[in-house]
Amino acid sequence: NAGVTQTPKFQVLKTGQSMTLQCAQDMNHNSMYWYRQDPGMGLRLIYYSASEGTTDKGEVPNGYNVSRLNKREFSLRLESAAPSQTSVYFCASSPGTGSNQPQHFGDGTRLSIL
Amino acid sequence: QQPVQSPQAVILREGEDAVINCSSSKALYSVHWYRQKHGEAPVFLMILLKGGEQKGHEKISASFNEKKQQSSLYLTASQLSYSGTYFCGANQAGTALIFGKGTTLSVSS
């Protein structure tokens, strides 16, 4: 079982370059999420998609855009990368956004911006 | 608003117990607990729903006090495999989770 698959696993960008992080899940989940993880800051929600066709901002959405391409795929785009966006990015999915719905995480994308 | 976890770090020897706390300034619908080992993805442990229930997973259990807007994670007779960073996720408005900053647990032999 693949679960949640993120690509790429590692990426180095120069300031100002654009980049799309890809995420796909094969669990038929309705909800998907993008987080960034920085040392000492925990997991911070960037955007989420409660269901196909909807997206909502999380705690730290500035500088990012998302697309829920279909039920399986949820991408995160950096239009003009900045060094402050150097981080580990995790995608997650859950059956729904209800309070009893566990999230399943991908292995992460380690992004460095020079 | 991020829930507050305490302590930030815990160092244990095998067999010792630990408690990790998670508190919120807003009303909670539920609390989720996850564990992340170094360089890996967070892994779901358990969910606590409104009603003050206590749940268990191996020798790890948790409680949820909705009046105090707090949850505690109890690790009993810790094993080396328990090492990692523990995150609580607060469901504050019935929608997306907000995670705390994490508690790093180190268990040595």
Side-chain angles (χ1 to χ4, degrees):
Chain A
N1 291 336
V4 179
T5 302
Q6 291 184 235
T7 56
K9 294 190 185 304
F10 302 93
Q11 185 69 46
V12 178
L13 294 178
K14 294 182 179 179
T15 297
Q17 288 185 318
S18 61
M19 172 76 189
T20 299
L21 307 186
Q22 306 287 353
C23 175
Q25 52 90 10
D26 63 1
M27 295 175 282
N28 200 34
H29 285 171
N30 289 307
S31 304
M32 298 184 73
Y33 312 82
W34 276 107
Y35 294 91
R36 61 177 290 173
Q37 185 173 36
D38 304 294
M41 298 300 293
L43 294 155
R44 291 185 292 171
L45 182 65
I46 304 171
Y47 272 93
Y48 68 102
S49 171
S51 60
E52 187 178 357
T54 69
T55 60
D56 285 288
K57 295 179 181 179
E59 303 167 81
V60 289
N62 291 343
Y64 304 95
N65 286 300
V66 290
S67 295
R68 183 74 183 267
L69 304 170
N70 48 55
K71 190 172 186 179
R72 290 186 64 248
E73 298 172 288
F74 189 37
S75 63
L76 178 73
R77 183 162 178 84
L78 288 72
E79 291 290 352
S80 179
S84 61
Q85 294 177 306
T86 292
S87 188
V88 180
Y89 291 85
F90 285 100
C91 177
S93 71
S94 65
T97 56
S99 57
N100 63 343
Q101 306 290 302
Q103 293 189 13
H104 301 262
F105 286 80
D107 289 335
T109 294
R110 283 143 185 85
L111 183 62
S112 293
I113 299 161
L114 308 176
Chain B
Q1 191 168 3
Q2 276 187 309
V4 177
Q5 288 187 233
S6 63
Q8 289 185 331
V10 183
I11 300 174
L12 298 176
R13 289 194 179 272
E14 273 188 298
E16 293 182 336
D17 302 338
V19 180
I20 299 172
N21 299 303
C22 176
S23 63
S24 172
S25 59
K26 296 186 176 182
L28 294 173
Y29 285 75
S30 68
V31 177
H32 296 214
W33 286 97
Y34 293 76
R35 177 171 63 202
Q36 183 181 31
K37 294 188 179 289
H38 184 69
E40 300 182 4
V43 174
F44 169 74
L45 291 175
M46 65 189 77
I47 292 174
L48 287 301
L49 301 175
K50 285 176 70 172
E53 67 176 286
Q54 191 157 349
K55 298 194 73 172
H57 176 79
E58 300 175 346
K59 292 183 180 178
I60 301 173
S61 62
S63 63
F64 178 27
N65 186 325
E66 61 187 89
K67 286 186 178 179
K68 291 186 176 180
Q69 295 160 191
Q70 291 178 347
S71 178
S72 295
L73 187 71
Y74 306 95
L75 299 103
T76 305
S78 58
Q79 306 168 14
L80 294 176
S81 61
Y82 287 1
S83 293
T85 301
Y86 290 78
F87 294 98
C88 70
N91 189 320
Q92 296 171 327
T95 56
L97 284 181
I98 302 295
F99 285 93
K101 294 183 178 181
T103 296
T104 300
L105 177 69
S106 300
V107 181
S108 61
S109 58

